[in-house]
């Protein structure tokens, strides 16, 4: 599984969720097609909230399609790793509808739920919540632990395809 947890998705399982994501972008005054990730398995989009890059995926899972929202924050610092991971766990206790996770040496905000029963307002709240947490925590963790912020040297399409 890649950095963003991308997996191939069956078109029939995902059409409704894809339409909701496109509606989300319309509500934000953005064109979903301009933010679509090419080269990712399944369906993927990106957006920026403050200093954070947010990725939205609709993926296949054993019981149907899932919505996955993720944002890379910082790299695990070279020093004080134990205190750093302890702090991540402490932060997780206060998060709602998302969590901090790692992939290799990258710390991510992740939110995931099945698309069955997903409502437009819930999708928008999940994206907003993950984006808010990501924008709040990336600088805070970088400053507190002298961690290197995750940045994208390549364009989002290239980065997502490299991360698979």
């Amino acid at each position: 599984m890649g950095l963003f947890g991308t997996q191939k998705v069956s078109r029939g399982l995902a059409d409704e969720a894809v339409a909701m994501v496109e509606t989300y972008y319309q509500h934000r005054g953005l064109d979903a097609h301009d933010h679509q990730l090419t080269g990712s398995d399944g369906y993927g989009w990106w957006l920026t909230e403050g200093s954070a890059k947010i990725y939205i995926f609709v993926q296949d899972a054993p019981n149907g399609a899932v919505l996955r929202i993720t944002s890379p924050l910082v790299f695990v610092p070279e020093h004080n790793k134990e205190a750093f991971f302890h702090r991540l766990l402490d932060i997780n206790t206060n998060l709602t509808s998302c969590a901090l996770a790692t992939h290799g040496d990258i710390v991510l905000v992740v939110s995931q739920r099945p698309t069955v029963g997903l409502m437009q307002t819930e999708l928008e709240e999940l994206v907003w919540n993950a984006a808010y947490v990501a924008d709040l925590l990336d600088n805070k963790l970088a400053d507190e632990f002298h961690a290197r912020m995750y940045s994208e040297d390549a364009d989002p399409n290239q980065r997502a395809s490299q991360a698979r």
Side-chain angles (χ1 to χ4, degrees):
M1 185 178 292
L3 171 62
F4 305 111
T6 59
Q7 296 177 7
K8 206 167 206 166
V9 66
S10 302
R11 185 151 187 71
L13 297 174
D15 285 343
E16 194 172 316
V18 168
M20 282 189 217
V21 172
E22 290 172 350
T23 299
Y24 168 77
Y25 276 88
Q26 288 173 349
H27 289 167
R28 297 280 311 265
L30 302 169
D31 185 342
H33 299 291
D34 291 343
H35 290 87
Q36 199 162 13
L37 295 170
T38 57
S40 66
D41 290 335
Y43 301 94
W45 303 264
W46 64 273
L47 65 113
T48 303
E49 271 309 322
S51 57
K53 186 74 77 171
I54 313 305
Y55 296 92
I56 304 167
F57 294 98
V58 176
Q59 307 169 316
D60 202 9
N63 296 321
V66 296
L67 173 71
R68 182 174 173 86
I69 304 156
T70 186
S71 179
L73 303 178
V74 295
F75 290 91
V76 174
E78 299 281 325
H79 305 287
N80 297 327
K81 287 184 182 184
E82 184 176 339
F84 179 77
F85 285 117
H86 190 266
R87 180 76 172 115
L88 295 183
L89 290 172
D90 286 345
I91 292 170
N92 265 342
T93 64
N94 294 313
L95 295 179
T96 302
S97 301
C98 65
L100 297 176
T102 59
H103 180 81
D105 64 346
I106 300 170
V107 177
L108 309 161
V109 170
V110 295
S111 180
Q112 182 170 306
R113 88 171 290 296
T115 61
V116 173
L118 180 67
M119 303 294 289
Q120 184 68 42
T121 55
E122 184 182 7
L123 179 140
E124 293 186 17
E125 288 173 8
L126 288 170
V127 175
W128 179 87
N129 185 59
Y132 174 79
V133 168
D135 187 39
L136 177 71
L137 290 180
D138 59 357
N139 294 96
K140 188 174 185 172
L141 290 170
D143 292 344
E144 187 176 343
F145 290 95
H146 306 289
R148 186 168 47 104
M149 296 232 341
Y150 182 87
S151 66
E152 297 196 353
D153 299 328
D155 91 49
N157 289 321
Q158 283 182 315
R159 192 63 175 171
S161 66
Q162 292 169 354
R164 278 187 285 153

